[in-house]
Amino acid sequence: MSGRDQIYVLFIHGLFSNRKVWRHFTRAIKADPDLGDRVIPLYFEYSSPIFKLRLSRAIPTFSTIAKNLDADLRLKIPDGRKVFLVTHSQGGIVAQTFLAQALHNGDARGLDKIAHLLMYACPNAGSRIALGLRRLLLPRHPQEWLHRRMQADVAAIAELEDHCPFPITACGGATDGIAPDADATYPFRNRTTVPGDHKSIVRPRTPDDASFLLFKRLVRQMWSTPAEPTLLAAPVDSALSPQPLPEGSSQVSTAPPWPQRDENLEGRAEEVEAILAEGAKVCVLAGLGGVGKTRVALEVAHRMRAQRDVWWINVTELDTAMQQLALRLNVAKSALVEAQSARNVPDVIWRALDAHNRPWLLVFDNADNAEVLAAGNGRVAEGRGWLRMPDGTNGMVIVTSHDQSTVTWGQWCRVRKIDTLPEDDGIAMLTKIVGQQAAGTREEARLLSRALGGLPLALWCAARHIKASYDTGERLTFGRYRQDLESRLTALPGSGPLDPKLGLELVQKVFKISLDALVGAGMPQAERLLKAFACMSPSMIPYRTGSEARLAHADLFDGHPSPDIDRILARLRDVGLVTLHRVPAAGSESDKITVQALTMHPAVHVVFRNDRDVTARGRAYYGFALRLLEDVLGESDPDQSEDRALWRLVAPHVIQIANTAVSTLAGEQDLIRRALKLVRVTSRYYIAAGLVAPASDFLPGLIGKCSSYGFSPDDREIMDLRHEHGRMMIEVGNPEAAEAEIRELIADRERVLGDNHRDTWASRHKLAKAILVQDGRWREAEELLLGILDAEHALDPQHTDSMVVKHSLARAILAQGNDRVAIAERMCKEILQQWDPDGTSTLDEVLFVRGTLVRTLSARGAYREAREEAERTLARNVEHLDEVHVMGLTFAYIAILLALGEVPMAYEQATSLLARRVRLLGDHHSDTIRTRELRDDIRRLLDGGQSGDQADRAG
C-alpha cells in the first residue's frame, strides 16, 4: 500500500488524563478491516496532573500546550501529508486554543496539514457538574483556572469556525453529566450526539459503537475528498472569553441530524432548489410516510447553515426540545417555570425567537399529528401554539408531516407536497444500496421501484433486506422480492386498521415482507417480538442480552422455542426496522449489568402497536413486554444513584404498560398486579431522583380509578401506591396534605393488615416524617418514632427500615437543639458505622444520614470537622450533585462556610444550588424558597448590608 493512501490521526487527551484514554479507540482501529493498515495513530501528550509534585515544575497553561501542539504537528507529520485531529474533553479546548492562535497570527503553517478536527465531549460551556468541586479543591491549578476563563464564547467560536480552513465536528454524549451534549456541541455547525457518558464516548467496546462509527465515517470522507490547497484565513481579532451557556436538560438535542446526510439525495434537487428560492416563512413538507420529507428538510437546512442558525425539533420530544431551544435563546429558567404555571410556554419561546438577532431556521420534524403543534391552543391553523408565523425577516420555519391539508395548516403556511421518487431515481437508490447488477437487471430494478410506488423508505428497507440475504445464502433478487411484494399487496389484510391520514399502509406491507422472510429463514418469533417492543413507549427501549431463557412465554410464541433476542434484533436491524444502541446501565465502568437498547421509527411503532394480533392477544403481548422490563431491571435499586440511568430508560415503558393494562386488560388481574408492582418502584425512582412532577401525574390516576380495573383502595397493591403518593406529597413540600392522606392509609392498613404489620409501621414512619418537617412538632414526631423504632427492633433490628427510622429519630432530636444535639450526633455515627463503615456507599439514605451528621457537628460548633465531612462526601458524589440528598448536604455545607467566614464561597455554592433546585423542584418548592432567601441574605452581606443570621437560616 502506498504511503499516500494512509492517514495520520493525532489523539489529544483531556484534563487529568493521558494517552491511555485512547487505547479502546486504537484497538478498534487495528481490528477494523478498512482502517487497520491505512490509519497511523499518533498521540499528543501534555502534563495535566492534579497537583504539582515538585515546586520546581510548573503545570503548563493552554497557551503553552497549544504551542507544543504546533511543534508536534510540524515534527510528526511529513510535508504534504494530512492529519486528522481527534480530541477528548479538555483536549478540544487545547485544539481550539491552537487554532485561535494560528488564525489570530495569520499563520497557517500548522493548519495546512489538518484535514479535520473531531471533538468528543468538549466542555465548551464548562464541565458543569464538577466545576464547583474543582474550584474548591484545585483553586490554583492553571489548567482548571483557564478551563473556566477560556470557556468558548459562542460568538468567538462561530467566528473561529468561519475562518477555519478545515471542517470541525463536535460530538456529545447523550448521558454525559460532565460535559452535557448541549454544551459539547453548541454552537458548532457540524454537531452530533451519540450514546455514552463522558468516559465511554471514547471507549468503544465494539466496532458498531456510534462514537467509533462517526470517526470511521469522517476518515472515509477524507479518503474520498480530493486534496485542496490551503487558504490562509484572515486573522481572528476576537479572543475566546468566558460566557458559559445556560444550564439545561442535555437529554434532547436541537442540533440537526447531520450524519443522516451520508448518502446522496436521490431525485430531490429541484424540490430543494425551489424551497430555497421561494423562501416561504412557514413551509410544510407534506406527503406519504417514508417519502423522504425529513431528508429534504435536512438538505435545505444544510444549505442554509452558513447563513442561519439552525435548530431541529423532533416532535416526538416536542416539549423537552422546545425548552432546550428556549435555553439556547437565553430564556431564563425561572421564566420557563413561570410560563409552565401560566400555560403560555409557546408565547415565551416565540418572543425569544422573534427577538433573535441572527437569521434562523426552525425545523419541526415528524409532525404527523399536526395538532400537537397547537399546544392545546385551539387548532394549529390558528397559529397560537408551537407553530406560528415569524415576525420580521429573520425567521423561517419548516415542518415535516404526513398531513397535506391546507385546512390543517392554514393559508399562512406554504404546503409543499413531497412526491414519491420517479422510477429512474428509484433504480438508482436500489442499485446503490444493493450493488450494480448484484440482484438483477436494471429493468428488474425498475419494476420493483414501480411496485414499491417509489417510496424511499420502502425502497431502502427492501434493498437492505436483499443485500442482507446474501450474507445468509438466501440471495434474493429484485424480481423475487417484487413477486413477494405483489402477492402480499393482493392478499387479504392480516392486521388491524390504521389511521388513513398517516399513510402507512404500504410501509406496513413492506415491513411485513421483511418479517415474513425472517420467519422463513428460521426466525418464527421475529414478528411477535417486534410487536411486543411496539407495545412500549416510543422512547428508547432497554433489553438484556442473552436473556432468551428467562423471557420464554408460550402464550406469545405458540410453543416455539424462546427467542434468541440478540440474533433476531440484529436481523431486524439489518432490514432497517430497528436501530440498536449500547447503553451503560450503572455508569461507564460498571459491569454489573449489560444493557442494550433499541429505537423504532415512529411509523413502525404505530403500525405494529395497532396490529390486530396485538389487540386480540393483549395479555400475551403486554405480559411479555412486562417481563422484558422485569428482566432488564433485575436487582437494580431505584434508591441507588448508580442505577438511575437504567431506571430513567425503563420508567416511561412501565407507565405505558400499566396505563394500557388497566385501560384495556381489566380482567387480567395477575398482569395488572405485576404492572402495579413496577409502578410502585418506578414512583420511588421519580421521587428519589427529585422528579416529583411525573410521579404526581400518574399515581393519582391509577389510585383514583382502581375500581375500573377490578381493584379497591383496600387492596395491598393500591395501598402501596397510596403510601408512595403520601411520600411524594412530603417531597413536594406539602406535609399537611401528606399527613391527612397517610393517616387515612394507616387506618386502612390497620384494618386490613393489622397493627403490627411491617407495611403498617412503614406508613406510620411516613406519618412521622410528615410531622417532623412541620415547625414546632418535633417532640410529637419523636414520640411517634420511638414507638416505631421499638416495633422495628422487635421485627428485625438489623433491617434497613430500622436504620431509616433511627435516622428520622435523630433528626427529630436534632431539631429540638440544646443539649440533645450530642445524642443526635451519636445516633448518626452509629448508623453510619453499621450501614457504611468504609464511607463509599451512594445509597440515598446514607447520604441523607451524612447530611444530618454534618448538621449535628455544626450545631455543636465543630465547624471544621463538619466542613471536612461535607467536603469529603460531596467529593465522592461529584457526579450526583442533582440528587435530592446531595443538594440537602450542600445546603448544610453553605451554613458551615458562613460560620467559618467563607462568605464568597458560600455565595457561589448557594447560587449553584439555587439553580439546581429551580430546575428540579420548581420555583415555588419550599426548599427552593429557602435556598433563594439564603442566597439573597449572603448577597446582602457581600454588599455590606446586614445579614441577619445566615448560618441559623441555613441550619
Side-chain angles (χ1 to χ4, degrees), residues 430-446 448 462-470 474-482:
L430 286 169
T431 55
K432 179 180 177 182
I433 295 173
V434 177
Q436 187 70 32
Q437 297 183 344
T441 66
R442 179 178 174 82
E443 182 60 24
E444 288 173 326
R446 182 189 303 279
L448 177 56
R464 284 288 299 272
H465 177 77
I466 293 170
K467 184 176 182 180
S469 73
Y470 281 75
E474 297 173 64
R475 302 185 66 83
L476 291 177
T477 64
F478 293 139
R480 172 62 185 277
Y481 196 99
R482 178 176 59 83

Side-chain angles (χ1 to χ4, degrees), residues 276-522:
L276 292 169
E278 190 174 60
K281 283 191 174 183
V282 180
C283 180
V284 179
L285 306 182
L288 188 65
V291 80
K293 304 175 293 294
T294 294
R295 185 65 182 84
V296 172
L298 188 61
E299 189 67 23
V300 173
H302 191 261
R303 301 277 190 94
M304 291 184 170
R305 74 193 191 286
Q307 295 81 32
R308 294 176 179 267
D309 290 336
V310 180
W311 301 297
W312 193 280
I313 305 298
N314 192 321
V315 175
T316 61
E317 300 170 318
L318 180 61
D319 291 346
T320 306
M322 290 302 288
Q323 292 185 44
Q324 181 68 27
L325 173 60
L327 296 175
R328 291 275 167 250
L329 294 168
N330 294 320
V331 176
K333 284 176 285 186
S334 58
L336 277 179
V337 173
E338 293 172 2
Q340 287 174 334
S341 300
R343 299 183 182 278
N344 66 341
V345 175
D347 294 339
V348 172
I349 296 178
W350 268 96
R351 281 196 294 271
L353 277 169
D354 287 331
H356 192 59
N357 59 5
R358 274 178 49 85
W360 53 267
L361 169 64
L362 175 62
V363 180
F364 288 106
D365 191 26
N366 293 322
D368 300 323
N369 178 5
E371 294 306 320
V372 171
L373 294 177
N377 296 319
R379 297 170 53 245
V380 68
E382 297 170 8
R384 296 186 292 114
W386 292 119
L387 180 63
R388 307 185 183 194
M389 174 72 77
D391 286 339
T393 59
N394 266 1
M396 179 176 178
V397 180
I398 291 178
V399 182
T400 69
S401 176
H402 294 157
D403 197 334
Q404 305 169 33
S405 172
T406 55
V407 175
T408 298
W409 302 105
Q411 295 300 320
W412 49 278
C413 295
R414 170 69 167 94
V415 179
R416 177 178 288 276
K417 181 180 178 182
I418 306 298
D419 289 317
T420 55
L421 291 177
E423 286 182 3
D424 285 346
D425 294 314
I427 295 170
M429 189 172 184
L430 286 169
T431 55
K432 179 180 177 182
I433 295 173
V434 177
Q436 187 70 32
Q437 297 183 344
T441 66
R442 179 178 174 82
E443 182 60 24
E444 288 173 326
R446 182 189 303 279
L447 293 174
L448 177 56
S449 177
R450 181 183 299 171
L452 289 168
L455 190 65
L457 179 59
L459 291 165
W460 183 82
C461 287
R464 284 288 299 272
H465 177 77
I466 293 170
K467 184 176 182 180
S469 73
Y470 281 75
D471 296 333
T472 63
E474 297 173 64
R475 302 185 66 83
L476 291 177
T477 64
F478 293 139
R480 172 62 185 277
Y481 196 99
R482 178 176 59 83
Q483 292 173 6
D484 292 342
L485 173 64
E486 291 178 345
S487 174
R488 181 67 183 171
L489 290 174
T490 58
L492 292 175
S495 51
L498 294 172
D499 186 340
K501 290 189 300 183
L502 297 178
L504 295 177
E505 293 85 356
L506 180 58
V507 178
Q508 179 189 30
K509 290 175 170 50
V510 173
F511 291 156
K512 199 68 173 64
I513 292 172
S514 297
L515 287 173
D516 288 346
L518 293 181
V519 171

